[in-house]
Amino acid sequence: MQQISPGAVLARIWEIYRQQSPVLIGTAAILFILQLVLFLLIGGVAGLAAAVLFWVLSTLYQGMVVKLVQDVQDGRRDHSVGALITSVEPVLLALIAVSILFAIGVGIGFVLLIIPGLILLVMWAVVAPVTVLEHPGVFAAFRRSRELVRGNGWPVFSVIAIVYLAVVIVSVAAGIASTPLGVVGRAVVNWVVTVALAPVPALSASVLYFSLRDGYTRQEAGSTATEGPPQAPVL
């Protein structure tokens, strides 16, 4: 199995984030402003509603980012933001189901002494892009993700660890800095941070998917070439 390069994956994540930041950040700002408005209007009463809304919007946004990364594989973006979001609609319910099962599985894994959670986090690292791009079905998507990650566990873990550590550091720093600002100020800062960081996990999963898929395809092609054409039976 040809292993991916964590450095190359991280560089590609940053490259797409930088080049497509108007789309990535602008779309996140529009989607998540609904959550901010809901919170400011009804406050704590909207806790559950805001959480559900945030989950659905985050899932939709993740699907959009997957489609965007697919779109820029040739070096440029050809589809509008509306077209990218619309293209996710046929798989949105499956993507929501996958995200719920992912959260439950990884959450239980972390409760069980952390290590099982980390293993599942790596094995299922590209389950969302698989769902959006390959349409295998909810449970088959998890099997396909594990298949793609096989042989690249440590490189995938390295990318996940670096990305999530960066996200946590920025989130904690912003939370500390916004403490004196009051409820409204903290809500606004939280929205800004959410908008800025929302593309990062989705980009990470998407870039990992294409890196792993390309390596898997090359391996399959190499195996076929090694086997050669079928031999005629000996009579």
Side-chain angles (χ1 to χ4, degrees), residues 124-161:
W124 297 343
V126 295
V127 67
V130 166
T131 302
V132 173
L133 300 177
E134 300 186 13
H135 308 169
V138 173
F139 296 104
F142 289 93
R143 292 194 297 270
R144 173 62 170 162
S145 177
R146 183 175 61 180
E147 181 181 72
L148 289 172
V149 171
R150 185 179 294 116
N152 274 286
W154 283 113
V156 170
F157 174 76
S158 300
V159 172
I160 292 174

mmCIF file of all heavy atoms in Angstrom, residues 124-161:
data_model
loop_
_atom_site.group_PDB
_atom_site.id
_atom_site.type_symbol
_atom_site.label_atom_id
_atom_site.label_comp_id
_atom_site.label_asym_id
_atom_site.label_seq_id
_atom_site.Cartn_x
_atom_site.Cartn_y
_atom_site.Cartn_z
ATOM 1 N N TRP A 124 -12.940 5.861 10.046
ATOM 2 C CA TRP A 124 -14.090 6.507 9.422
ATOM 3 C C TRP A 124 -13.776 7.937 8.991
ATOM 4 O O TRP A 124 -14.690 8.742 8.786
ATOM 5 C CB TRP A 124 -15.266 6.516 10.395
ATOM 6 C CG TRP A 124 -15.751 5.147 10.771
ATOM 7 C CD1 TRP A 124 -15.498 3.963 10.126
ATOM 8 C CD2 TRP A 124 -16.592 4.810 11.885
ATOM 9 N NE1 TRP A 124 -16.111 2.919 10.758
ATOM 10 C CE2 TRP A 124 -16.800 3.404 11.842
ATOM 11 C CE3 TRP A 124 -17.196 5.556 12.894
ATOM 12 C CZ2 TRP A 124 -17.579 2.746 12.793
ATOM 13 C CZ3 TRP A 124 -17.962 4.894 13.839
ATOM 14 C CH2 TRP A 124 -18.157 3.504 13.788
ATOM 15 N N ALA A 125 -12.524 8.241 8.793
ATOM 16 C CA ALA A 125 -12.104 9.617 8.521
ATOM 17 C C ALA A 125 -12.712 10.189 7.248
ATOM 18 O O ALA A 125 -12.914 11.394 7.135
ATOM 19 C CB ALA A 125 -10.579 9.690 8.449
ATOM 20 N N VAL A 126 -12.987 9.336 6.267
ATOM 21 C CA VAL A 126 -13.490 9.842 4.983
ATOM 22 C C VAL A 126 -14.901 9.331 4.682
ATOM 23 O O VAL A 126 -15.305 9.274 3.529
ATOM 24 C CB VAL A 126 -12.523 9.469 3.831
ATOM 25 C CG1 VAL A 126 -11.189 10.164 4.023
ATOM 26 C CG2 VAL A 126 -12.316 7.966 3.730
ATOM 27 N N VAL A 127 -15.648 8.987 5.711
ATOM 28 C CA VAL A 127 -16.993 8.444 5.493
ATOM 29 C C VAL A 127 -17.924 9.491 4.874
ATOM 30 O O VAL A 127 -18.791 9.154 4.057
ATOM 31 C CB VAL A 127 -17.572 7.894 6.817
ATOM 32 C CG1 VAL A 127 -17.830 9.004 7.825
ATOM 33 C CG2 VAL A 127 -18.840 7.093 6.560
ATOM 34 N N ALA A 128 -17.756 10.768 5.227
ATOM 35 C CA ALA A 128 -18.618 11.810 4.652
ATOM 36 C C ALA A 128 -18.365 11.995 3.154
ATOM 37 O O ALA A 128 -19.321 11.994 2.366
ATOM 38 C CB ALA A 128 -18.445 13.122 5.415
ATOM 39 N N PRO A 129 -17.096 12.171 2.723
ATOM 40 C CA PRO A 129 -16.865 12.264 1.272
ATOM 41 C C PRO A 129 -17.318 11.018 0.513
ATOM 42 O O PRO A 129 -17.840 11.125 -0.597
ATOM 43 C CB PRO A 129 -15.339 12.448 1.178
ATOM 44 C CG PRO A 129 -14.941 13.042 2.469
ATOM 45 C CD PRO A 129 -15.870 12.446 3.476
ATOM 46 N N VAL A 130 -17.132 9.848 1.101
ATOM 47 C CA VAL A 130 -17.603 8.620 0.461
ATOM 48 C C VAL A 130 -19.117 8.676 0.252
ATOM 49 O O VAL A 130 -19.641 8.332 -0.816
ATOM 50 C CB VAL A 130 -17.229 7.385 1.306
ATOM 51 C CG1 VAL A 130 -18.000 6.157 0.836
ATOM 52 C CG2 VAL A 130 -15.729 7.114 1.220
ATOM 53 N N THR A 131 -19.837 9.129 1.271
ATOM 54 C CA THR A 131 -21.296 9.222 1.187
ATOM 55 C C THR A 131 -21.733 10.182 0.092
ATOM 56 O O THR A 131 -22.645 9.892 -0.681
ATOM 57 C CB THR A 131 -21.874 9.680 2.539
ATOM 58 O OG1 THR A 131 -21.483 8.765 3.570
ATOM 59 C CG2 THR A 131 -23.388 9.757 2.490
ATOM 60 N N VAL A 132 -21.066 11.340 0.023
ATOM 61 C CA VAL A 132 -21.458 12.374 -0.934
ATOM 62 C C VAL A 132 -21.105 11.997 -2.368
ATOM 63 O O VAL A 132 -21.893 12.211 -3.291
ATOM 64 C CB VAL A 132 -20.791 13.722 -0.569
ATOM 65 C CG1 VAL A 132 -21.058 14.771 -1.643
ATOM 66 C CG2 VAL A 132 -21.292 14.212 0.780
ATOM 67 N N LEU A 133 -19.936 11.407 -2.563
ATOM 68 C CA LEU A 133 -19.415 11.209 -3.914
ATOM 69 C C LEU A 133 -19.674 9.816 -4.488
ATOM 70 O O LEU A 133 -19.775 9.660 -5.705
ATOM 71 C CB LEU A 133 -17.911 11.495 -3.941
ATOM 72 C CG LEU A 133 -17.514 12.920 -3.537
ATOM 73 C CD1 LEU A 133 -15.997 13.058 -3.518
ATOM 74 C CD2 LEU A 133 -18.133 13.946 -4.473
ATOM 75 N N GLU A 134 -19.760 8.805 -3.633
ATOM 76 C CA GLU A 134 -19.911 7.444 -4.138
ATOM 77 C C GLU A 134 -21.309 6.864 -3.933
ATOM 78 O O GLU A 134 -21.645 5.838 -4.542
ATOM 79 C CB GLU A 134 -18.862 6.530 -3.493
ATOM 80 C CG GLU A 134 -17.416 6.959 -3.778
ATOM 81 C CD GLU A 134 -16.395 5.959 -3.262
ATOM 82 O OE1 GLU A 134 -16.784 4.836 -2.912
ATOM 83 O OE2 GLU A 134 -15.195 6.309 -3.219
ATOM 84 N N HIS A 135 -22.098 7.475 -3.042
ATOM 85 C CA HIS A 135 -23.480 7.050 -2.798
ATOM 86 C C HIS A 135 -23.595 5.546 -2.505
ATOM 87 O O HIS A 135 -24.444 4.855 -3.082
ATOM 88 C CB HIS A 135 -24.378 7.378 -3.994
ATOM 89 C CG HIS A 135 -24.304 8.791 -4.449
ATOM 90 N ND1 HIS A 135 -24.863 9.220 -5.633
ATOM 91 C CD2 HIS A 135 -23.740 9.895 -3.901
ATOM 92 C CE1 HIS A 135 -24.649 10.513 -5.799
ATOM 93 N NE2 HIS A 135 -23.957 10.938 -4.754
ATOM 94 N N PRO A 136 -22.790 5.017 -1.588
ATOM 95 C CA PRO A 136 -22.837 3.565 -1.367
ATOM 96 C C PRO A 136 -23.945 3.123 -0.416
ATOM 97 O O PRO A 136 -24.198 1.934 -0.275
ATOM 98 C CB PRO A 136 -21.467 3.288 -0.739
ATOM 99 C CG PRO A 136 -21.180 4.536 0.041
ATOM 100 C CD PRO A 136 -21.777 5.670 -0.740
ATOM 101 N N GLY A 137 -24.590 4.063 0.255
ATOM 102 C CA GLY A 137 -25.518 3.715 1.322
ATOM 103 C C GLY A 137 -24.855 3.976 2.672
ATOM 104 O O GLY A 137 -23.630 4.037 2.766
ATOM 105 N N VAL A 138 -25.662 4.129 3.703
ATOM 106 C CA VAL A 138 -25.155 4.565 5.008
ATOM 107 C C VAL A 138 -24.110 3.604 5.573
ATOM 108 O O VAL A 138 -22.984 3.999 5.882
ATOM 109 C CB VAL A 138 -26.320 4.739 6.002
ATOM 110 C CG1 VAL A 138 -25.777 5.034 7.407
ATOM 111 C CG2 VAL A 138 -27.241 5.870 5.544
ATOM 112 N N PHE A 139 -24.452 2.337 5.715
ATOM 113 C CA PHE A 139 -23.533 1.399 6.361
ATOM 114 C C PHE A 139 -22.364 1.025 5.446
ATOM 115 O O PHE A 139 -21.240 0.848 5.910
ATOM 116 C CB PHE A 139 -24.292 0.151 6.817
ATOM 117 C CG PHE A 139 -25.314 0.428 7.870
ATOM 118 C CD1 PHE A 139 -26.671 0.467 7.562
ATOM 119 C CD2 PHE A 139 -24.921 0.679 9.177
ATOM 120 C CE1 PHE A 139 -27.615 0.749 8.529
ATOM 121 C CE2 PHE A 139 -25.865 0.957 10.166
ATOM 122 C CZ PHE A 139 -27.212 0.999 9.834
ATOM 123 N N ALA A 140 -22.624 0.951 4.165
ATOM 124 C CA ALA A 140 -21.543 0.644 3.221
ATOM 125 C C ALA A 140 -20.512 1.758 3.187
ATOM 126 O O ALA A 140 -19.336 1.520 2.897
ATOM 127 C CB ALA A 140 -22.114 0.408 1.823
ATOM 128 N N ALA A 141 -20.924 2.981 3.498
ATOM 129 C CA ALA A 141 -19.987 4.107 3.498
ATOM 130 C C ALA A 141 -18.902 3.919 4.561
ATOM 131 O O ALA A 141 -17.740 4.266 4.343
ATOM 132 C CB ALA A 141 -20.736 5.414 3.739
ATOM 133 N N PHE A 142 -19.283 3.356 5.697
ATOM 134 C CA PHE A 142 -18.297 3.112 6.756
ATOM 135 C C PHE A 142 -17.307 2.027 6.329
ATOM 136 O O PHE A 142 -16.108 2.135 6.597
ATOM 137 C CB PHE A 142 -19.003 2.715 8.054
ATOM 138 C CG PHE A 142 -19.738 3.849 8.713
ATOM 139 C CD1 PHE A 142 -21.086 4.065 8.454
ATOM 140 C CD2 PHE A 142 -19.080 4.701 9.586
ATOM 141 C CE1 PHE A 142 -21.767 5.111 9.046
ATOM 142 C CE2 PHE A 142 -19.755 5.749 10.191
ATOM 143 C CZ PHE A 142 -21.097 5.962 9.923
ATOM 144 N N ARG A 143 -17.807 1.005 5.660
ATOM 145 C CA ARG A 143 -16.910 -0.052 5.181
ATOM 146 C C ARG A 143 -15.959 0.475 4.118
ATOM 147 O O ARG A 143 -14.774 0.135 4.112
ATOM 148 C CB ARG A 143 -17.733 -1.218 4.628
ATOM 149 C CG ARG A 143 -18.531 -1.976 5.669
ATOM 150 C CD ARG A 143 -19.046 -3.311 5.117
ATOM 151 N NE ARG A 143 -19.977 -3.104 4.014
ATOM 152 C CZ ARG A 143 -21.291 -2.971 4.162
ATOM 153 N NH1 ARG A 143 -21.831 -2.993 5.381
ATOM 154 N NH2 ARG A 143 -22.079 -2.825 3.105
ATOM 155 N N ARG A 144 -16.484 1.311 3.231
ATOM 156 C CA ARG A 144 -15.656 1.883 2.174
ATOM 157 C C ARG A 144 -14.581 2.804 2.760
ATOM 158 O O ARG A 144 -13.428 2.784 2.305
ATOM 159 C CB ARG A 144 -16.544 2.658 1.200
ATOM 160 C CG ARG A 144 -15.800 3.459 0.144
ATOM 161 C CD ARG A 144 -14.969 2.588 -0.773
ATOM 162 N NE ARG A 144 -14.472 3.383 -1.894
ATOM 163 C CZ ARG A 144 -13.454 3.029 -2.670
ATOM 164 N NH1 ARG A 144 -12.829 1.875 -2.459
ATOM 165 N NH2 ARG A 144 -13.077 3.796 -3.667
ATOM 166 N N SER A 145 -14.926 3.585 3.763
ATOM 167 C CA SER A 145 -13.943 4.455 4.408
ATOM 168 C C SER A 145 -12.820 3.631 5.023
ATOM 169 O O SER A 145 -11.635 3.942 4.871
ATOM 170 C CB SER A 145 -14.626 5.306 5.488
ATOM 171 O OG SER A 145 -13.684 6.111 6.174
ATOM 172 N N ARG A 146 -13.184 2.568 5.721
ATOM 173 C CA ARG A 146 -12.172 1.697 6.331
ATOM 174 C C ARG A 146 -11.275 1.080 5.258
ATOM 175 O O ARG A 146 -10.057 0.964 5.439
ATOM 176 C CB ARG A 146 -12.853 0.592 7.140
ATOM 177 C CG ARG A 146 -11.869 -0.333 7.867
ATOM 178 C CD ARG A 146 -12.578 -1.333 8.739
ATOM 179 N NE ARG A 146 -13.454 -2.211 7.959
ATOM 180 C CZ ARG A 146 -14.187 -3.178 8.488
ATOM 181 N NH1 ARG A 146 -14.184 -3.367 9.800
ATOM 182 N NH2 ARG A 146 -14.941 -3.942 7.718
ATOM 183 N N GLU A 147 -11.870 0.724 4.135
ATOM 184 C CA GLU A 147 -11.112 0.138 3.025
ATOM 185 C C GLU A 147 -10.087 1.123 2.475
ATOM 186 O O GLU A 147 -8.939 0.761 2.189
ATOM 187 C CB GLU A 147 -12.097 -0.278 1.932
ATOM 188 C CG GLU A 147 -11.464 -0.917 0.719
ATOM 189 C CD GLU A 147 -12.510 -1.276 -0.328
ATOM 190 O OE1 GLU A 147 -13.043 -0.334 -0.972
ATOM 191 O OE2 GLU A 147 -12.822 -2.471 -0.491
ATOM 192 N N LEU A 148 -10.494 2.381 2.331
ATOM 193 C CA LEU A 148 -9.590 3.397 1.793
ATOM 194 C C LEU A 148 -8.465 3.740 2.770
ATOM 195 O O LEU A 148 -7.329 3.995 2.357
ATOM 196 C CB LEU A 148 -10.378 4.673 1.450
ATOM 197 C CG LEU A 148 -11.316 4.591 0.245
ATOM 198 C CD1 LEU A 148 -12.165 5.856 0.142
ATOM 199 C CD2 LEU A 148 -10.526 4.372 -1.038
ATOM 200 N N VAL A 149 -8.787 3.754 4.056
ATOM 201 C CA VAL A 149 -7.792 4.142 5.072
ATOM 202 C C VAL A 149 -6.797 3.021 5.343
ATOM 203 O O VAL A 149 -5.657 3.293 5.754
ATOM 204 C CB VAL A 149 -8.518 4.559 6.373
ATOM 205 C CG1 VAL A 149 -7.519 4.763 7.511
ATOM 206 C CG2 VAL A 149 -9.318 5.842 6.152
ATOM 207 N N ARG A 150 -7.181 1.769 5.087
ATOM 208 C CA ARG A 150 -6.330 0.636 5.417
ATOM 209 C C ARG A 150 -4.916 0.828 4.853
ATOM 210 O O ARG A 150 -4.714 1.114 3.676
ATOM 211 C CB ARG A 150 -6.922 -0.656 4.855
ATOM 212 C CG ARG A 150 -6.135 -1.908 5.266
ATOM 213 C CD ARG A 150 -6.761 -3.177 4.698
ATOM 214 N NE ARG A 150 -8.074 -3.436 5.282
ATOM 215 C CZ ARG A 150 -9.201 -3.442 4.601
ATOM 216 N NH1 ARG A 150 -9.201 -3.196 3.294
ATOM 217 N NH2 ARG A 150 -10.354 -3.692 5.206
ATOM 218 N N GLY A 151 -3.920 0.662 5.729
ATOM 219 C CA GLY A 151 -2.529 0.836 5.331
ATOM 220 C C GLY A 151 -2.024 2.254 5.489
ATOM 221 O O GLY A 151 -0.830 2.528 5.332
ATOM 222 N N ASN A 152 -2.934 3.192 5.796
ATOM 223 C CA ASN A 152 -2.559 4.596 5.971
ATOM 224 C C ASN A 152 -3.016 5.137 7.320
ATOM 225 O O ASN A 152 -3.231 6.345 7.464
ATOM 226 C CB ASN A 152 -3.168 5.445 4.853
ATOM 227 C CG ASN A 152 -2.299 5.483 3.605
ATOM 228 O OD1 ASN A 152 -1.260 6.137 3.573
ATOM 229 N ND2 ASN A 152 -2.707 4.744 2.587
ATOM 230 N N GLY A 153 -3.162 4.242 8.286
ATOM 231 C CA GLY A 153 -3.680 4.655 9.588
ATOM 232 C C GLY A 153 -2.895 5.769 10.234
ATOM 233 O O GLY A 153 -3.457 6.782 10.672
ATOM 234 N N TRP A 154 -1.580 5.624 10.297
ATOM 235 C CA TRP A 154 -0.767 6.640 10.975
ATOM 236 C C TRP A 154 -0.728 7.967 10.222
ATOM 237 O O TRP A 154 -0.855 9.024 10.839
ATOM 238 C CB TRP A 154 0.640 6.118 11.228
ATOM 239 C CG TRP A 154 0.709 5.157 12.379
ATOM 240 C CD1 TRP A 154 0.983 3.829 12.338
ATOM 241 C CD2 TRP A 154 0.470 5.464 13.763
ATOM 242 N NE1 TRP A 154 0.918 3.274 13.591
ATOM 243 C CE2 TRP A 154 0.615 4.256 14.496
ATOM 244 C CE3 TRP A 154 0.139 6.627 14.458
ATOM 245 C CZ2 TRP A 154 0.443 4.189 15.873
ATOM 246 C CZ3 TRP A 154 -0.028 6.562 15.841
ATOM 247 C CH2 TRP A 154 0.129 5.358 16.529
ATOM 248 N N PRO A 155 -0.561 7.973 8.892
ATOM 249 C CA PRO A 155 -0.632 9.253 8.179
ATOM 250 C C PRO A 155 -1.983 9.957 8.355
ATOM 251 O O PRO A 155 -2.033 11.180 8.547
ATOM 252 C CB PRO A 155 -0.393 8.860 6.714
ATOM 253 C CG PRO A 155 0.405 7.612 6.790
ATOM 254 C CD PRO A 155 -0.116 6.886 7.996
ATOM 255 N N VAL A 156 -3.068 9.192 8.303
ATOM 256 C CA VAL A 156 -4.398 9.787 8.493
ATOM 257 C C VAL A 156 -4.529 10.334 9.906
ATOM 258 O O VAL A 156 -5.034 11.445 10.116
ATOM 259 C CB VAL A 156 -5.506 8.754 8.205
ATOM 260 C CG1 VAL A 156 -6.874 9.287 8.635
ATOM 261 C CG2 VAL A 156 -5.520 8.398 6.723
ATOM 262 N N PHE A 157 -4.064 9.570 10.883
ATOM 263 C CA PHE A 157 -4.108 10.039 12.278
ATOM 264 C C PHE A 157 -3.299 11.323 12.446
ATOM 265 O O PHE A 157 -3.724 12.241 13.159
ATOM 266 C CB PHE A 157 -3.568 8.956 13.211
ATOM 267 C CG PHE A 157 -3.450 9.413 14.644
ATOM 268 C CD1 PHE A 157 -4.581 9.517 15.447
ATOM 269 C CD2 PHE A 157 -2.219 9.762 15.185
ATOM 270 C CE1 PHE A 157 -4.476 9.953 16.766
ATOM 271 C CE2 PHE A 157 -2.110 10.197 16.489
ATOM 272 C CZ PHE A 157 -3.244 10.288 17.289
ATOM 273 N N SER A 158 -2.151 11.395 11.802
ATOM 274 C CA SER A 158 -1.310 12.589 11.902
ATOM 275 C C SER A 158 -2.034 13.828 11.394
ATOM 276 O O SER A 158 -2.010 14.894 12.023
ATOM 277 C CB SER A 158 -0.012 12.395 11.120
ATOM 278 O OG SER A 158 0.730 11.302 11.621
ATOM 279 N N VAL A 159 -2.700 13.688 10.249
ATOM 280 C CA VAL A 159 -3.442 14.817 9.685
ATOM 281 C C VAL A 159 -4.577 15.232 10.622
ATOM 282 O O VAL A 159 -4.750 16.417 10.922
ATOM 283 C CB VAL A 159 -4.010 14.461 8.296
ATOM 284 C CG1 VAL A 159 -4.954 15.559 7.801
ATOM 285 C CG2 VAL A 159 -2.880 14.251 7.296
ATOM 286 N N ILE A 160 -5.340 14.250 11.100
ATOM 287 C CA ILE A 160 -6.458 14.544 11.994
ATOM 288 C C ILE A 160 -5.970 15.232 13.263
ATOM 289 O O ILE A 160 -6.551 16.225 13.719
ATOM 290 C CB ILE A 160 -7.213 13.249 12.347
ATOM 291 C CG1 ILE A 160 -7.918 12.691 11.111
ATOM 292 C CG2 ILE A 160 -8.233 13.502 13.461
ATOM 293 C CD1 ILE A 160 -8.560 11.338 11.329
ATOM 294 N N ALA A 161 -4.889 14.715 13.849
ATOM 295 C CA ALA A 161 -4.372 15.268 15.103
ATOM 296 C C ALA A 161 -3.930 16.714 14.925
ATOM 297 O O ALA A 161 -4.256 17.587 15.751
ATOM 298 C CB ALA A 161 -3.207 14.415 15.603
#
